[in-house]
């Protein structure tokens, strides 16, 4: 006797495993970058399965049983989801600050109401942001699926409303539903295309832009009879190609690309090919072993629980576990434990329970025992006419006599038996063993009527049985359920306990067990001894403090001591936000002292003031000290906002008054209390994390760029105090290329007194940087960050000819950099010689009357500017000069007026990364300019300048590593211009 062929399509379970593992890996490790598209694979699968259930109802009864359909959805999805929501909200209030915990509660309520996606969309939530990620953000996709599941059955009913009842059971009903699905796909795709460009955040989360992906699955379900007749070779090829497309989408799709339109089409198409190729074949699909092996199928079985838990576990682990190599393995361990426990203890037991089933949905044999979740799907099965019952002797082999002897009384052939289980009532007719009735789309047989194959007849649904009385059906159903799933729930509880112990042990091994304070030994307090060793006394006090289990009773308390020390500070009135105090009251020591010292700054200076005053008074008439400033007011070039609005409002004036005071009465010495470094950041750690990123291609427009080292990666940050943070290789020189454009624009604005704004536009184009196109009607370049605009601005700087303009540009770039800069003559020559598109643009502007110099002169000057040699450190100083209002932080020289710097940085924000500027500002939020040499210059207004260089570029000409590094810097240093 042959073993029965399993009815669960293993390829679909494996596809779910591949999708969920990609999503989890992306959120956990950041690789693959496009793993988030696994959600799009889920959408296609859901559309296929949901529509299959609805078509089954249509073909068997001519209508859709809404109550039974929604009851199954509730049993399948709701319990596990509510469990996760409750646990995460409770944990959130224990772990997170109040504001974030309350936001998490709002996310949970939205998830419970199936509107998470709309909450995030209306908030403008950036799905790819790493700042304060909601532990429930992934529920947006579940909301989309369930909104589809609520609306799609009604659309199905409307689509067949005009079809005669009998015709609905055949091709006419399937055609009507398929037509409705095609309309959904077209309409949703159109909305996605329009909205992705206008409102990316709304487009990402919107049901209207995502419904088409579920609609693709619905179309496949409607086409199942035709797809089942495809040749075997075509089906196998379709499945392998589809699997390859899905896997490729994880690597090819980038978070910075437009999404969902058009890039979502890639994973959707791949999933559709896999689903279509598997219809009508052996559901085991052994040829697709990559995803049909037992491990992949097992992961697919638990994929729903895994998806529910993965993001909460990652977010909470990030908040609670110290960074280190052990953090990720411990996170994975916790995730596995919670996934298995939820699947065995909640998801499957409730899904297969008689809850909400009533008479027509009382627990069947398949629902009580089938191991496949609802999201598994059986192979297409034949449809037996309602008045005909498939003979059991043709479909179920008779058991051996020895097997009969081991079965309990009341067992009949064809009934699944488990040791210790009770026989099911023989009066009830059940679906084929191992097939979840809720998950089996019915596909008409491809054989002629009246001659179904034995294999297909084996799974033909029996005619509906007469409903049994509630008292005789629900009681045994619950008893069967308890017998079947009680042990599993016990296993779930045991796995949770064992997993918790393993997690605690792993934390102890990785980070050490917490030290529990022991009861301190009584410490005798000796009377003060003037002859005692002060060091020994201090050591004894410290030793006693390390064993203390409670705060000592302090008199006065720390708070009182802080208040009293501030109020008692004799320099207190010299640092208040009131008008500048009288300097005589803030000066100590002899008025005739030959040496004078100023102590200025914020509250740190005020804390030092008594000590400095005492030194002056004890100097024997040699020193006098003046202490003045304002608490909360940092004496830096850049205004640092204070929590006290009064301080912020008067800080600039106080700094100006103090500067005038010092200028009027110079001193021999001065001390300014330094502010804390706002950016204590290890750039080498960031650089090391980028080296494994191998995406992108090196530009080959000229030989010097084509031979650039693809492994070069350097980062630098220039701060307002003139200091520079740098990584390894920050001193490696490269040609500045297009990163020179903001500085050419600044010089043109300065030299023309703003007239350059009339000669060049400032609007983004949505096209490539070298597009041969000018503004319609004006003949102007669209903005100064594209090649046409840079050619024009380079021609507007002061100078009678190309040599003079080139010299002026060289001096200006040196002023931005704070040092002299060299030019790579070979690069300049090749840029001039091989820049055909630049020559074409220059001639076009000459023809329009926009360019006043010759085309060749314009290209020559611009090419030489692009060949200027800089390094990451120098480029960061140049970016900081723009960010700080035109003042070079290293030299203190004003290079351009503040208004010019403001105009340049504004255009960098809207146009600096060409047709990717909108996505850049959404993800990074820092004005920047990219370059084909792999350089990125950043100007965070009032904060810092930055530079990242790495030659491999994406399709938009932006450094791949540079984009990643900029996103991380923005997140870690809170540089995003629109973050609150």
């Amino acid at each position: 006797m042959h073993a029965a062929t399993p009815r669960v399509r293993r390829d679909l379970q494996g596809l779910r495993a591949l999708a969920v593992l990609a999503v989890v890996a992306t959120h956990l490790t950041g690789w693959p970058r496009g793993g988030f598209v696994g959600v799009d694979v889920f959408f296609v699968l859901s559309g296929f399965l949901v529509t299959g259930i609805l078509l089954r109802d249509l073909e068997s009864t001519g209508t859709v049983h809404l109550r039974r359909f929604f009851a199954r959805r509730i049993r399948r999805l709701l319990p596990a989801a509510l469990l996760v929501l409750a646990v995460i909200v409770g944990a959130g209030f224990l772990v997170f600050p109040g504001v974030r915990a309350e936001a998490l509660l709002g996310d949970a309520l939205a998830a419970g109401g199936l509107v998470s996606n709309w909450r995030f969309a209306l908030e403008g939530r950036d799905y790819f942001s790493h700042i304060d990620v909601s532990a429930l953000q992934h529920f947006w996709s579940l909301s989309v699926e369930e909104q589809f599941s609520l609306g799609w059955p009604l659309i199905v009913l409307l689509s067949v409303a005009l079809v005669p009842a009998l015709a609905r059971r055949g091709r006419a009903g399937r055609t009507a539903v398929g037509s409705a699905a095609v309309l959904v796909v077209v309409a949703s795709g159109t909305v996605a295309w329009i909205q992705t460009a206008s409102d990316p955040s709304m487009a990402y989360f919107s049901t209207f832009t995502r419904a088409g992906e579920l609609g693709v699955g619905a179309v496949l379900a409607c086409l199942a009879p035709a797809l089942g007749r495809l040749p075997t070779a075509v089906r196998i090829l379709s499945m392998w190609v589809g699997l390859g497309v899905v896997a490729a989408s994880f690597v090819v799709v980038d978070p910075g690309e437009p999404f969902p339109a058009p890039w979502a089409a890639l994973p959707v198409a791949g999933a559709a090919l896999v689903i279509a190729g598997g219809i009508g074949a052996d559901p085991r699909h052994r040829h697709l072993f990559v995803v049909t092996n037992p491990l992949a199928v097992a992961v697919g079985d638990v994929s729903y629980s895994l998806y529910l838990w993965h993001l909460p576990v990652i977010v909470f682990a990030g908040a609670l576990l110290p960074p280190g190599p052990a953090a990720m393995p411990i996170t994975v361990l916790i995730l596995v434990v919670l996934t298995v426990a939820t699947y065995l203890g909640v998801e499957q037991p409730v899904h297969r329970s008689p809850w909400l089933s009533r008479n027509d949905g009382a627990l069947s044999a398949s629902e009580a025992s089938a191991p496949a979740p609802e999201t598994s799907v059986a192979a297409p099965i034949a449809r037996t006419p309602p008045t005909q019952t498939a003979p059991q002797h043709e479909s179920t082999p008779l058991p051996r006599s020895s097997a009969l002897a081991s079965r309990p009384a009341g067992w009949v052939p064809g009934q699944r038996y488990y040791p210790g289980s009770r026989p099911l009532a023989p009066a009830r007719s059940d679906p084929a063993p191992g097939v979840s009735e809720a998950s089996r789309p019915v596909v008409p047989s491809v054989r002629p009527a009246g001659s179904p194959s034995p294999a297909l007849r084996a799974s033909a649904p029996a005619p509906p049985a007469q409903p049994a009385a509630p008292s005789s059906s629900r009681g045994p159903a619950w008893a069967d359920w308890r017998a079947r799933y009680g042990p599993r729930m016990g296993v779930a509880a045991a796995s949770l306990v064992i997993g918790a112990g393993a997690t605690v042990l792993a934390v102890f091994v990785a980070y050490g067990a917490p030290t529990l304070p022991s009861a301190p030994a009584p410490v005798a307090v000796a009377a003060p001894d003037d002859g005692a060793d002060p060091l020994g006394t201090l050591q004894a006090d410290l030793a006693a403090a390390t064993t203390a289990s409670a705060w000592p009773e302090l008199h006065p308390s720390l708070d009182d001591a802080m208040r009293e020390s501030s109020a008692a500070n004799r320099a207190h009135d010299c640092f208040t936000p009131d008008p500048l105090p009288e300097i005589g009251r803030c000066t100590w020591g002899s008025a005739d002292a030959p040496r004078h010292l100023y102590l200025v700054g914020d509250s740190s200076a005020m804390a030092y003031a008594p000590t400095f005053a005492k030194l002056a008074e004890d100097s024997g008439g040699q020193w006098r000290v003046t202490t003045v400033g304002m608490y909360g007011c940092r004496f830096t070039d850049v205004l640092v906002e204070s929590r006290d609005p009064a301080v912020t409002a008067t800080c600039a004036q106080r700094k100006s008054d103090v500067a005038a005071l010092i200028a009027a009465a110079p001193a021999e010495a001065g001390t300014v209390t330094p502010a804390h470094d706002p950016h204590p950041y290890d750039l080498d750690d960031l650089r090391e994390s980028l080296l494994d990123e191998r995406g992108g291609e090196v530009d080959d427009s000229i030989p010097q760029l084509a031979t650039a080292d693809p492994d070069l990666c350097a980062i630098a940050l220039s701060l307002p105090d003139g200091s520079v943070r740098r990584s390894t290789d920050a001193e490696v020189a490269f040609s500045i290329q297009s990163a020179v454009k903001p500085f050419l624009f600044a010089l043109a604005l300065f030299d023309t007194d703003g007239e350059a704004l009339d000669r060049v536009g400032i609007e983004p184009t949505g096209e490539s940087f070298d597009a041969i196109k000018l503004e319609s009607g004006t003949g102007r370049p669209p903005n100064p960050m594209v090649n046409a605009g840079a050619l024009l601005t380079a021609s507007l700087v002061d100078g009678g000819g190309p040599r003079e303009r080139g010299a002026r540009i060289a001096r200006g770039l040196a002023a931005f950099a704070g040092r002299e800069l060299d030019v790579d003559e070979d690069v300049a020559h090749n840029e001039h010689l091989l820049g055909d598109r630049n020559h074409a643009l220059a001639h076009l502007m000459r023809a329009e009357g926009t360019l006043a110099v010759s085309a060749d002169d314009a290209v020559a000057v611009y090419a030489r500017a692009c060949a200027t040699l800089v390094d990451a450190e120098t480029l960061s100083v140049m970016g900081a000069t723009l960010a700080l209002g035109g003042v070079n932080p290293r030299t203190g020289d004003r290079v351009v007026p503040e208004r010019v710097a403001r105009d340049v940085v504004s255009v960098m924000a809207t146009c600096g990364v060409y047709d990717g500027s909108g996505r850049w500002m959404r993800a990074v939020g820092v004005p920047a300019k990219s370059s084909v040499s792999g350089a990125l210059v950043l100007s965070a207004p009032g904060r810092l300048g930055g530079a990242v260089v790495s030659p491999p570029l994406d399709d938009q000409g932006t450094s791949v590593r540079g984009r990643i590094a900029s996103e991380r810097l923005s997140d870690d240093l809170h540089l995003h211009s629109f973050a609150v």
Side-chain angles (χ1 to χ4, degrees):
M1 144 179 175
H2 296 289
T5 300
R7 305 300 301 168
V8 176
R9 275 187 59 176
R10 292 186 175 183
D11 59 317
L12 298 192
Q13 289 301 89
L15 186 61
R16 289 178 60 82
L18 181 65
V20 76
L21 290 177
V23 173
V24 173
T26 298
H27 288 159
L28 181 61
T29 69
W31 189 92
R33 295 266 292 165
F36 65 93
V37 302
V39 172
D40 301 274
V41 176
F42 296 153
F43 286 157
V44 181
L45 280 167
S46 293
F48 176 70
L49 297 168
V50 167
T51 306
I53 294 172
L54 300 176
L55 290 175
R56 174 182 174 277
D57 274 356
L58 277 180
E59 293 184 350
S60 61
T61 65
T63 187
V64 172
H65 295 285
L66 294 178
R67 189 203 61 78
R68 186 165 58 191
F69 173 80
F70 290 128
R72 286 168 176 161
R73 298 296 294 178
I74 291 173
R75 290 199 307 269
R76 171 73 180 89
L77 302 173
L78 190 62
L82 289 181
L83 171 66
V84 172
L85 292 176
V87 170
I88 296 309
V89 169
F93 276 94
L94 292 176
V95 173
F96 295 136
V99 174
R100 188 173 180 185
E102 291 170 2
L104 191 63
L105 175 60
D107 293 343
L109 294 176
L114 305 180
V115 291
S116 279
N117 60 317
W118 293 113
R119 172 179 170 86
F120 297 144
L122 294 175
E123 287 180 349
R125 185 79 60 94
D126 181 2
Y127 178 81
F128 304 106
S129 173
H130 302 295
I131 301 175
D132 290 342
V133 176
S134 170
L136 301 176
Q137 185 167 287
H138 61 312
F139 269 77
W140 77 270
S141 64
L142 303 179
S143 295
V144 170
E145 287 189 15
E146 292 318 299
Q147 289 164 27
F148 178 84
S149 298
L150 287 172
W152 182 235
L154 303 179
I155 295 175
V156 169
L157 286 175
L158 289 174
S159 66
V160 300
L162 300 179
V163 179
L166 289 177
R168 295 176 191 171
R169 296 181 163 191
R171 181 179 299 176
R174 190 176 286 269
T175 300
V177 175
S179 300
V182 170
L183 289 176
V184 169
V185 173
V186 173
S188 176
T190 303
V191 174
W193 187 269
I194 295 172
Q195 199 165 57
T196 299
S198 61
D199 190 347
S201 180
M202 178 64 74
Y204 190 92
F205 293 111
S206 172
T207 305
F208 300 119
T209 60
R210 299 298 191 138
E213 301 177 29
L214 291 109
V216 169
V219 171
L220 293 174
C222 295
L223 293 176
L227 296 173
R229 292 192 291 269
L230 291 174
T232 300
V234 173
R235 289 202 301 264
I236 292 176
L237 178 63
S238 171
M239 296 181 78
W240 274 105
V241 170
L243 188 62
V245 171
V246 170
S249 68
F250 297 153
V251 180
V252 172
V253 179
D254 188 90
E257 300 295 339
F259 208 88
W263 285 100
L266 199 61
V268 169
L273 287 172
V274 174
I275 294 171
I279 294 176
D282 181 349
R284 290 172 294 188
H285 294 289
R286 290 172 176 169
H287 63 87
L288 205 67
F289 55 87
V290 176
V291 293
T292 58
N293 61 79
L295 178 60
V297 173
V299 175
D301 288 344
V302 302
S303 58
Y304 178 58
S305 292
L306 176 59
Y307 184 78
L308 288 178
W309 281 114
H310 85 278
L311 192 57
V313 170
I314 292 171
V315 171
F316 277 86
L320 296 175
L321 292 179
M328 186 176 296
I330 293 174
T331 302
V332 172
L333 173 62
I334 297 170
L335 183 56
V336 170
V337 170
L338 292 175
T339 296
V340 172
T342 304
Y343 176 76
L344 294 177
V346 178
E347 180 187 339
Q348 278 297 289
V350 181
H351 176 206
R352 304 297 180 186
S353 73
W355 179 47
L356 299 178
S357 59
R358 289 204 319 198
N359 294 337
D360 58 343
L363 185 70
S364 66
S366 67
E367 287 184 328
S369 61
E374 182 180 287
T375 48
S376 301
V377 61
I381 61 177
R383 177 167 53 89
T384 304
T387 58
Q388 179 181 349
T389 303
Q392 185 172 333
H393 68 274
E394 293 185 21
S395 61
T396 306
L398 291 175
R400 299 187 302 271
S401 58
S402 59
L404 289 174
S406 65
R407 301 299 191 262
W411 177 83
V412 295
Q415 190 176 77
R416 185 167 294 218
Y417 167 72
Y418 299 94
S421 66
R422 303 183 184 186
L424 299 180
R428 203 164 53 243
S429 178
D430 298 322
V435 184
S436 171
E437 189 178 9
S439 64
R440 186 179 58 195
V442 177
V443 181
S445 171
V446 297
R447 294 175 175 269
S451 60
S453 70
L456 293 181
R457 282 200 305 270
S459 57
Q466 295 298 320
S471 60
S472 61
S473 63
R474 293 186 62 82
W478 277 108
D480 294 335
W481 176 81
R482 285 191 295 269
R484 176 62 178 151
Y485 288 101
R488 290 193 182 189
M489 296 170 73
V491 171
S495 66
L496 189 61
V497 173
I498 295 172
T503 302
V504 172
L505 180 61
V507 172
F508 284 2
V509 170
Y511 302 108
T515 303
L516 299 178
S518 58
V523 179
V525 181
D529 183 359
D530 293 338
D533 177 16
L535 179 60
T537 302
L538 178 59
Q539 290 173 336
D541 290 344
L542 291 174
T546 59
T547 62
S549 60
W551 286 104
E553 191 70 26
L554 299 178
H555 298 286
S557 67
L558 287 175
D559 290 338
D560 291 341
M562 292 171 64
R563 282 192 295 268
E564 290 173 6
S565 63
S566 176
N569 190 321
R570 50 178 167 169
H572 178 272
D573 292 341
C574 303
F575 291 84
T576 58
D578 300 323
L580 187 68
E582 199 213 320
I583 297 306
R585 297 171 50 201
C586 300
T587 301
W588 288 269
S590 172
D592 299 325
R595 297 181 179 86
H596 188 190
L597 179 144
Y598 283 98
L599 172 65
V600 300
D602 53 11
S603 56
S604 297
M606 186 175 74
Y608 296 142
T611 300
F612 275 78
K614 178 66 172 172
L615 290 173
E617 292 169 344
D618 294 346
S619 68
Q622 295 301 306
W623 283 95
R624 61 190 174 102
V625 173
T626 299
T627 62
V628 66
M630 184 190 301
Y631 56 77
C633 175
R634 293 180 176 178
F635 275 62
T636 58
D637 288 338
V638 179
L639 176 63
V640 179
E641 187 173 356
S642 171
R643 296 179 181 178
D644 186 343
V647 172
T648 302
T650 57
C651 181
Q653 184 60 48
R654 177 58 59 87
K655 288 190 290 186
S656 176
D657 292 341
V658 171
L661 174 68
I662 297 174
E668 285 72 17
T671 299
V672 179
T673 55
H676 295 291
D677 179 7
H679 306 297
Y681 198 85
D682 192 331
L683 295 180
D684 273 321
D685 280 352
L686 175 58
R687 176 183 178 274
E688 289 295 325
S689 71
L690 299 173
L691 295 180
D692 291 336
E693 175 57 57
R694 295 294 175 183
E697 299 290 337
V698 175
D699 184 81
D700 59 358
S701 58
I702 62 172
Q704 290 78 9
L705 293 178
T707 58
D709 181 8
D711 293 326
L712 172 64
C713 183
I715 311 167
L717 299 177
S718 179
L719 304 182
D721 61 2
S723 63
V724 176
R725 308 290 188 269
R726 63 185 67 82
S727 74
T728 302
D729 290 341
E731 73 289 348
V732 175
F734 54 89
S735 58
I736 192 171
Q737 295 295 327
S738 294
V740 78
K741 292 173 180 176
F743 308 102
L744 294 178
F745 182 39
L747 295 175
L749 286 174
F750 182 68
D751 288 353
T752 64
D753 197 21
E755 182 187 342
L757 286 173
D758 297 327
R759 305 283 298 276
V760 62
I762 55 172
E763 299 297 336
T765 66
E767 297 183 325
S768 64
F769 62 92
D770 59 353
I772 302 178
K773 185 176 181 180
L774 301 176
E775 281 185 352
S776 177
T778 67
R780 302 187 309 175
N783 65 69
M785 302 300 154
V786 296
N787 284 16
L791 287 166
L792 181 64
T793 55
S795 74
L796 294 178
V797 299
D798 286 342
R803 186 182 301 274
E804 292 77 14
R805 289 195 300 275
R808 163 63 180 134
I809 291 173
R811 291 193 304 272
L813 296 179
F816 276 108
R819 68 176 181 88
E820 293 297 321
L821 301 174
D822 295 325
V823 173
D824 188 322
E825 298 295 346
D826 292 334
V827 171
H829 174 76
N830 284 323
E831 289 282 2
H832 187 198
L833 181 67
L834 303 177
D836 293 336
R837 296 185 70 86
N838 286 340
H839 281 280
L841 284 166
H843 282 291
L844 180 60
M845 289 189 287
R846 283 284 293 174
E848 292 288 339
T850 306
L851 186 64
V853 303
S854 72
D856 189 72
D857 283 355
V859 174
V861 172
Y862 174 60
R864 190 169 182 81
C866 290
T868 302
L869 292 174
V870 295
D871 52 44
E873 178 178 344
T874 299
L875 192 57
S876 74
V877 174
M878 298 173 74
T881 302
L882 289 174
L884 302 176
V887 176
N888 187 306
R890 180 165 278 181
T891 65
D893 296 334
R894 177 167 291 282
V895 181
V896 292
E898 183 176 356
R899 184 178 184 85
V900 168
R902 185 199 67 184
D903 290 344
V904 173
V905 173
S906 299
V907 178
M908 289 172 66
T910 57
C911 309
V913 195
Y914 305 125
D915 51 336
S917 296
R919 291 183 293 277
W920 174 274
M921 286 304 292
R922 183 199 68 178
V924 181
V926 178
K929 181 70 196 75
S930 58
S931 164
V932 293
S933 61
L936 271 166
V937 57
L938 298 91
S939 296
R943 302 288 300 280
L944 53 77
V948 185
V949 58
S950 178
L953 310 175
D954 61 20
D955 293 338
Q956 294 168 332
T958 303
S959 170
V960 173
R961 293 190 186 114
R963 179 185 293 274
I964 299 171
S966 300
E967 290 181 10
R968 294 182 185 173
L969 287 169
S970 176
D971 289 347
D972 294 342
L973 302 181
H974 308 291
L975 299 177
H976 201 294
S977 300
F978 306 111
V980 294

